[in-house]
Amino acid sequence: MLCRMHLAPFASSSLASQLGTVRTLWPHAETIFAELQQEMERARQFMSSFEQLLSSQVATAMERAPSANAAPTQGSGEGFSICQDVKNFVPEQLSVKVVGRKVVLVGQKETQSTDEKGSFSYKYEVLKREWDVPEEVDAEALTCSLSKEGQLRIEAPRLALPAAPERSVPIQVTPAAPHPGAASED
């Protein structure tokens, strides 16, 4: 490929007069930049449509997934029940506390190892989850159980509300309010 800069020293020589007009194989810069701009615009449009698709997928997934702060309950009126996967932790590494109207699960684990070459590794894992306990649940009666499969179940029953005695509720009669649009008589 010939470039005009490389041919510049020869332009004044007798060789240039013998060859006539010299043309390069290099394309014009304007056409290259125009093509690049078109490619960039197509890439921007693709990225924009991809972002829209991704945001709609995330919104759909968020609608389907339960909220991490919401307290999942099983059955209607059964109370409070949470099941959390903790198979990477042993019971001694877990703690469950009730703080006000929140249940706080904390798991902490440290692992240290040295290989045959003398390399040392240290790993510290922390699991922390919080759930709000509904007002109608007895937080004082909270229980925890850990299955062999590593599933921690946290449960609390509904508060036993005393039965209200039967009573009559008086009906109060209020004067009729004028209807809007009704003509008033003067």
Side-chain angles (χ1 to χ4, degrees), residues 90-148:
V90 295
E92 295 78 28
Q93 298 168 333
L94 297 170
S95 72
V96 177
K97 295 180 183 178
V98 178
V99 181
R101 299 298 298 172
K102 287 191 179 287
V103 176
V104 180
L105 165 66
V106 177
Q108 296 179 341
K109 177 170 129 176
E110 295 181 43
T111 310
Q112 299 177 5
S113 64
T114 307
D115 66 5
E116 65 275 353
K117 296 179 183 176
S119 295
F120 177 77
S121 70
Y122 177 80
K123 184 177 179 182
Y124 183 72
E125 291 181 65
V126 175
L127 166 72
K128 184 174 183 183
R129 298 284 187 267
E130 292 184 6
W131 298 276
D132 291 328
V133 178
E135 292 293 328
E136 67 273 4
V137 170
D138 185 5
E140 297 297 319
L142 193 88
T143 60
C144 296
S145 61
L146 183 62
S147 72
K148 291 180 182 178

Coordinates of all heavy atoms in Angstrom, one line a residue, residues 90-148:
V90 N -21.5 -25.4 60.6 CA -21.9 -26.3 61.6 C -22.7 -25.5 62.7 O -22.6 -24.3 62.8 CB -20.7 -27.1 62.3 CG1 -20.0 -27.9 61.2 CG2 -19.7 -26.1 62.9
P91 N -23.5 -26.2 63.6 CA -24.3 -25.5 64.5 C -23.5 -24.6 65.4 O -24.0 -23.5 65.8 CB -25.0 -26.6 65.3 CG -25.0 -27.8 64.4 CD -23.8 -27.7 63.6
E92 N -22.3 -24.9 65.8 CA -21.5 -24.0 66.7 C -21.1 -22.7 66.0 O -20.8 -21.7 66.7 CB -20.2 -24.7 67.1 CG -20.4 -26.0 68.0 CD -20.9 -27.2 67.1 OE1 -20.5 -27.3 66.0 OE2 -21.6 -28.0 67.7
Q93 N -21.2 -22.6 64.7 CA -20.8 -21.4 63.9 C -22.0 -20.5 63.7 O -21.9 -19.5 63.0 CB -20.2 -21.8 62.6 CG -18.9 -22.6 62.8 CD -18.4 -23.2 61.4 OE1 -19.2 -23.5 60.5 NE2 -17.1 -23.4 61.4
L94 N -23.2 -20.9 64.1 CA -24.5 -20.2 63.9 C -25.0 -19.6 65.1 O -24.9 -20.2 66.2 CB -25.5 -21.1 63.2 CG -25.2 -21.7 61.9 CD1 -26.2 -22.8 61.5 CD2 -25.2 -20.7 60.8
S95 N -25.7 -18.5 65.0 CA -26.4 -17.9 66.1 C -27.7 -17.2 65.6 O -27.7 -16.6 64.5 CB -25.6 -16.9 66.9 OG -25.4 -15.7 66.1
V96 N -28.7 -17.4 66.3 CA -30.0 -16.8 66.0 C -30.5 -15.9 67.2 O -30.5 -16.4 68.3 CB -31.1 -17.9 65.7 CG1 -32.4 -17.2 65.4 CG2 -30.7 -18.7 64.5
K97 N -30.7 -14.7 66.9 CA -31.1 -13.7 68.0 C -32.4 -13.0 67.6 O -32.7 -12.8 66.4 CB -30.1 -12.7 68.2 CG -28.8 -13.2 68.8 CD -27.8 -12.1 69.0 CE -26.5 -12.7 69.4 NZ -25.4 -11.7 69.6
V98 N -33.2 -12.7 68.6 CA -34.4 -11.8 68.4 C -34.0 -10.5 68.9 O -33.7 -10.3 70.1 CB -35.6 -12.4 69.1 CG1 -36.8 -11.4 68.9 CG2 -36.0 -13.8 68.6
V99 N -34.0 -9.5 68.1 CA -33.7 -8.1 68.4 C -34.9 -7.2 68.1 O -35.2 -6.9 66.9 CB -32.5 -7.6 67.6 CG1 -32.1 -6.2 68.1 CG2 -31.3 -8.5 67.8
G100 N -35.7 -6.9 69.1 CA -36.9 -6.2 68.9 C -37.9 -7.0 68.2 O -38.3 -8.1 68.6
R101 N -38.3 -6.6 67.0 CA -39.2 -7.4 66.1 C -38.5 -7.9 64.9 O -39.1 -8.2 63.9 CB -40.4 -6.5 65.7 CG -41.3 -5.9 66.7 CD -42.0 -6.9 67.6 NE -42.9 -7.8 66.8 CZ -43.5 -8.8 67.3 NH1 -43.4 -9.1 68.6 NH2 -44.3 -9.6 66.6
K102 N -37.2 -8.2 65.1 CA -36.4 -8.8 64.0 C -35.8 -10.1 64.5 O -35.4 -10.2 65.6 CB -35.3 -7.8 63.6 CG -35.8 -6.6 62.8 CD -34.6 -5.9 62.1 CE -35.0 -4.8 61.3 NZ -35.6 -5.1 60.1
V103 N -35.6 -11.0 63.6 CA -34.9 -12.2 63.8 C -33.6 -12.1 63.0 O -33.6 -11.8 61.8 CB -35.6 -13.5 63.3 CG1 -34.8 -14.7 63.5 CG2 -36.9 -13.7 64.0
V104 N -32.4 -12.3 63.7 CA -31.1 -12.1 63.1 C -30.4 -13.4 63.1 O -30.2 -14.0 64.2 CB -30.3 -11.0 63.8 CG1 -29.0 -10.8 63.1 CG2 -31.1 -9.7 63.8
L105 N -30.0 -13.9 62.0 CA -29.2 -15.1 61.8 C -27.8 -14.7 61.4 O -27.6 -14.0 60.4 CB -29.8 -16.0 60.8 CG -28.9 -17.2 60.2 CD1 -28.7 -18.2 61.3 CD2 -29.6 -17.8 59.0
V106 N -26.8 -15.2 62.2 CA -25.4 -14.9 61.8 C -24.6 -16.2 61.8 O -24.7 -17.0 62.8 CB -24.8 -13.9 62.9 CG1 -23.3 -13.7 62.5 CG2 -25.5 -12.6 62.9
G107 N -23.9 -16.4 60.8 CA -23.0 -17.6 60.7 C -21.6 -17.1 60.4 O -21.4 -16.3 59.5
Q108 N -20.6 -17.6 61.1 CA -19.2 -17.2 60.9 C -18.3 -18.4 60.9 O -18.5 -19.3 61.7 CB -18.7 -16.2 62.0 CG -19.5 -14.9 62.1 CD -19.0 -14.0 63.2 OE1 -18.4 -14.5 64.1 NE2 -19.3 -12.8 63.1
K109 N -17.4 -18.4 59.9 CA -16.6 -19.6 59.7 C -15.2 -19.2 59.3 O -15.1 -18.4 58.3 CB -17.3 -20.5 58.7 CG -16.5 -21.7 58.3 CD -17.4 -22.6 57.5 CE -16.8 -23.1 56.2 NZ -17.6 -24.0 55.5
E110 N -14.2 -19.7 59.9 CA -12.8 -19.5 59.5 C -12.1 -20.8 59.1 O -12.3 -21.8 59.7 CB -12.0 -18.9 60.7 CG -12.4 -17.6 61.1 CD -11.6 -17.0 62.3 OE1 -10.4 -17.2 62.2 OE2 -12.2 -16.5 63.2
T111 N -11.4 -20.7 57.9 CA -10.7 -21.9 57.4 C -9.3 -21.5 57.2 O -9.0 -20.5 56.4 CB -11.4 -22.4 56.2 OG1 -12.8 -22.6 56.4 CG2 -10.8 -23.7 55.7
Q112 N -8.3 -22.3 57.7 CA -6.9 -22.0 57.4 C -6.3 -23.3 56.9 O -6.6 -24.4 57.3 CB -6.2 -21.6 58.7 CG -6.7 -20.4 59.3 CD -6.0 -20.1 60.7 OE1 -5.1 -20.8 61.1 NE2 -6.5 -19.0 61.3
S113 N -5.4 -23.2 55.9 CA -4.8 -24.4 55.4 C -3.4 -24.0 54.9 O -3.1 -22.9 54.5 CB -5.6 -25.0 54.3 OG -5.7 -24.1 53.2
T114 N -2.5 -25.1 54.9 CA -1.2 -24.9 54.3 C -1.0 -26.1 53.4 O -1.3 -27.3 53.7 CB -0.1 -25.0 55.4 OG1 -0.5 -24.0 56.4 CG2 1.2 -24.7 54.9
D115 N -0.5 -25.9 52.2 CA -0.3 -27.0 51.2 C 1.1 -27.5 51.3 O 1.9 -27.0 52.1 CB -0.6 -26.6 49.8 CG 0.3 -25.5 49.2 OD1 1.3 -25.1 49.9 OD2 0.0 -25.0 48.1
E116 N 1.5 -28.5 50.5 CA 2.8 -29.1 50.6 C 3.9 -28.2 50.2 O 5.1 -28.4 50.6 CB 2.8 -30.4 49.7 CG 2.6 -30.2 48.3 CD 1.2 -30.1 47.8 OE1 0.3 -30.3 48.6 OE2 1.0 -29.8 46.6
K117 N 3.6 -27.1 49.5 CA 4.7 -26.2 49.1 C 4.9 -25.1 50.1 O 5.8 -24.2 49.9 CB 4.3 -25.5 47.7 CG 4.2 -26.5 46.6 CD 3.8 -25.8 45.3 CE 3.7 -26.8 44.2 NZ 3.2 -26.2 43.0
G118 N 4.1 -25.1 51.2 CA 4.2 -24.1 52.2 C 3.4 -22.9 52.0 O 3.5 -21.9 52.8
S119 N 2.5 -22.9 51.0 CA 1.6 -21.8 50.8 C 0.5 -21.8 51.9 O -0.1 -22.9 52.2 CB 0.9 -21.8 49.4 OG 1.9 -21.7 48.5
F120 N 0.2 -20.7 52.4 CA -0.8 -20.5 53.5 C -2.1 -19.8 53.0 O -1.9 -18.8 52.2 CB -0.2 -19.7 54.7 CG -1.2 -19.5 55.8 CD1 -1.4 -20.5 56.7 CD2 -1.8 -18.3 55.9 CE1 -2.3 -20.3 57.8 CE2 -2.6 -18.1 57.0 CZ -2.9 -19.1 57.9
S121 N -3.2 -20.3 53.3 CA -4.5 -19.7 52.9 C -5.4 -19.5 54.1 O -5.4 -20.4 55.0 CB -5.2 -20.4 51.7 OG -5.7 -21.6 52.2
Y122 N -6.1 -18.4 54.1 CA -7.0 -18.1 55.2 C -8.3 -17.7 54.6 O -8.3 -16.8 53.7 CB -6.4 -17.0 56.0 CG -7.3 -16.6 57.2 CD1 -7.4 -17.3 58.3 CD2 -8.1 -15.4 57.1 CE1 -8.2 -16.9 59.4 CE2 -8.9 -15.0 58.1 CZ -9.0 -15.7 59.2 OH -9.8 -15.3 60.3
K123 N -9.5 -18.2 55.0 CA -10.8 -17.9 54.5 C -11.7 -17.6 55.6 O -11.8 -18.4 56.6 CB -11.3 -19.1 53.6 CG -12.6 -18.8 52.9 CD -12.9 -20.0 52.0 CE -14.2 -19.8 51.3 NZ -14.6 -21.0 50.6
Y124 N -12.4 -16.5 55.5 CA -13.4 -16.1 56.6 C -14.7 -15.9 55.9 O -14.8 -15.0 55.0 CB -12.9 -14.8 57.2 CG -13.8 -14.3 58.4 CD1 -13.8 -15.0 59.6 CD2 -14.5 -13.2 58.2 CE1 -14.6 -14.6 60.6 CE2 -15.3 -12.8 59.3 CZ -15.4 -13.5 60.5 OH -16.1 -13.1 61.5
E125 N -15.7 -16.6 56.3 CA -17.1 -16.5 55.7 C -18.0 -16.0 56.7 O -18.0 -16.4 57.9 CB -17.6 -17.9 55.2 CG -16.8 -18.5 54.0 CD -17.4 -19.8 53.6 OE1 -18.6 -19.8 53.2 OE2 -16.7 -20.8 53.8
V126 N -18.9 -15.1 56.3 CA -20.0 -14.6 57.1 C -21.3 -14.7 56.4 O -21.4 -14.3 55.2 CB -19.7 -13.1 57.5 CG1 -20.8 -12.5 58.3 CG2 -18.4 -13.0 58.3
L127 N -22.3 -15.2 57.1 CA -23.7 -15.2 56.6 C -24.5 -14.4 57.6 O -24.5 -14.7 58.8 CB -24.2 -16.7 56.5 CG -25.7 -16.8 56.3 CD1 -26.1 -16.4 54.9 CD2 -26.1 -18.2 56.6
K128 N -25.2 -13.4 57.1 CA -26.1 -12.6 57.9 C -27.4 -12.4 57.2 O -27.4 -11.9 56.1 CB -25.4 -11.3 58.3 CG -26.3 -10.5 59.3 CD -25.6 -9.3 59.8 CE -26.5 -8.6 60.8 NZ -25.9 -7.3 61.3
R129 N -28.5 -12.7 57.9 CA -29.8 -12.5 57.4 C -30.7 -12.0 58.5 O -30.6 -12.3 59.6 CB -30.5 -13.9 56.9 CG -29.7 -14.5 55.8 CD -30.0 -13.8 54.4 NE -29.4 -14.6 53.4 CZ -28.2 -14.4 52.8 NH1 -27.5 -13.5 53.3 NH2 -27.8 -15.1 51.9
E130 N -31.6 -11.1 58.1 CA -32.6 -10.5 59.0 C -34.0 -10.6 58.4 O -34.2 -10.4 57.2 CB -32.3 -9.0 59.2 CG -31.0 -8.7 60.0 CD -30.8 -7.2 60.3 OE1 -31.7 -6.4 60.0 OE2 -29.7 -6.9 60.8
W131 N -34.9 -10.9 59.3 CA -36.3 -10.9 58.9 C -37.2 -10.2 59.9 O -36.9 -10.3 61.1 CB -36.8 -12.4 58.8 CG -36.1 -13.2 57.8 CD1 -36.4 -13.3 56.5 CD2 -35.0 -14.1 58.1 NE1 -35.5 -14.2 55.9 CE2 -34.7 -14.7 56.8 CE3 -34.3 -14.5 59.2 CZ2 -33.7 -15.6 56.7 CZ3 -33.3 -15.4 59.1 CH2 -33.0 -16.0 57.8
D132 N -38.2 -9.5 59.5 CA -39.1 -8.8 60.4 C -40.1 -9.8 60.9 O -40.7 -10.6 60.1 CB -39.8 -7.7 59.6 CG -38.9 -6.5 59.3 OD1 -38.0 -6.2 60.0 OD2 -39.1 -5.9 58.2
V133 N -40.4 -9.7 62.1 CA -41.4 -10.6 62.7 C -42.7 -9.8 62.8 O -42.8 -8.8 63.3 CB -41.0 -11.0 64.2 CG1 -42.0 -11.9 64.8 CG2 -39.6 -11.7 64.2
P134 N -43.8 -10.4 62.2 CA -45.1 -9.7 62.2 C -45.6 -9.5 63.6 O -45.3 -10.2 64.5 CB -46.0 -10.6 61.4 CG -45.1 -11.5 60.6 CD -43.8 -11.6 61.4
E135 N -46.4 -8.4 63.7 CA -46.9 -8.1 65.1 C -47.8 -9.2 65.6 O -47.8 -9.4 66.9 CB -47.8 -6.8 65.0 CG -46.9 -5.6 64.7 CD -46.0 -5.2 65.8 OE1 -46.3 -5.4 67.0 OE2 -44.9 -4.7 65.5
E136 N -48.5 -10.0 64.8 CA -49.4 -11.0 65.3 C -48.7 -12.3 65.7 O -49.3 -13.3 66.0 CB -50.5 -11.3 64.3 CG -50.0 -11.9 63.0 CD -49.6 -11.0 61.9 OE1 -49.5 -9.8 62.1 OE2 -49.2 -11.5 60.8
V137 N -47.3 -12.3 65.7 CA -46.5 -13.5 66.0 C -45.9 -13.3 67.3 O -45.4 -12.2 67.7 CB -45.5 -13.7 64.9 CG1 -44.5 -14.8 65.3 CG2 -46.1 -14.1 63.6
D138 N -45.8 -14.4 68.1 CA -45.2 -14.4 69.4 C -43.7 -14.6 69.3 O -43.2 -15.7 69.2 CB -45.8 -15.5 70.3 CG -45.3 -15.5 71.7 OD1 -44.6 -14.6 72.1 OD2 -45.7 -16.4 72.5
A139 N -42.9 -13.5 69.3 CA -41.5 -13.6 69.1 C -40.8 -14.3 70.3 O -39.7 -14.8 70.1 CB -40.9 -12.2 68.9
E140 N -41.4 -14.3 71.5 CA -40.9 -15.0 72.6 C -40.9 -16.5 72.5 O -40.1 -17.2 73.1 CB -41.6 -14.5 73.9 CG -41.5 -13.1 74.2 CD -40.1 -12.6 74.5 OE1 -39.4 -13.3 75.2 OE2 -39.7 -11.5 74.0
A141 N -41.8 -17.0 71.7 CA -41.9 -18.5 71.5 C -41.1 -19.0 70.2 O -41.4 -20.0 69.7 CB -43.4 -18.8 71.4
L142 N -40.2 -18.2 69.8 CA -39.4 -18.5 68.6 C -38.5 -19.8 68.8 O -37.9 -19.9 69.9 CB -38.4 -17.4 68.2 CG -37.8 -17.4 66.8 CD1 -38.7 -16.8 65.8 CD2 -36.5 -16.8 66.9
T143 N -38.6 -20.7 67.9 CA -37.7 -21.9 67.9 C -36.9 -22.1 66.7 O -37.3 -21.6 65.6 CB -38.6 -23.2 68.1 OG1 -39.5 -23.3 67.0 CG2 -39.4 -23.1 69.4
C144 N -35.8 -22.8 66.8 CA -34.9 -23.1 65.6 C -34.7 -24.6 65.6 O -34.5 -25.2 66.6 CB -33.6 -22.4 65.8 SG -33.7 -20.6 65.8
S145 N -34.6 -25.1 64.4 CA -34.2 -26.5 64.2 C -33.3 -26.6 62.9 O -33.6 -26.0 62.0 CB -35.4 -27.5 64.1 OG -36.2 -27.1 63.0
L146 N -32.3 -27.5 63.0 CA -31.4 -27.7 61.9 C -31.5 -29.1 61.4 O -31.3 -30.1 62.1 CB -30.0 -27.4 62.3 CG -28.9 -27.5 61.3 CD1 -29.1 -26.5 60.2 CD2 -27.5 -27.3 61.9
S147 N -31.8 -29.3 60.1 CA -32.0 -30.6 59.5 C -30.6 -31.2 59.1 O -29.6 -30.4 59.0 CB -32.9 -30.6 58.3 OG -32.2 -30.0 57.2
K148 N -30.5 -32.5 58.9 CA -29.3 -33.1 58.4 C -28.8 -32.6 57.1 O -27.6 -32.6 56.7 CB -29.4 -34.6 58.4 CG -29.6 -35.2 59.7 CD -29.8 -36.7 59.6 CE -30.0 -37.4 61.0 NZ -30.2 -38.8 60.9

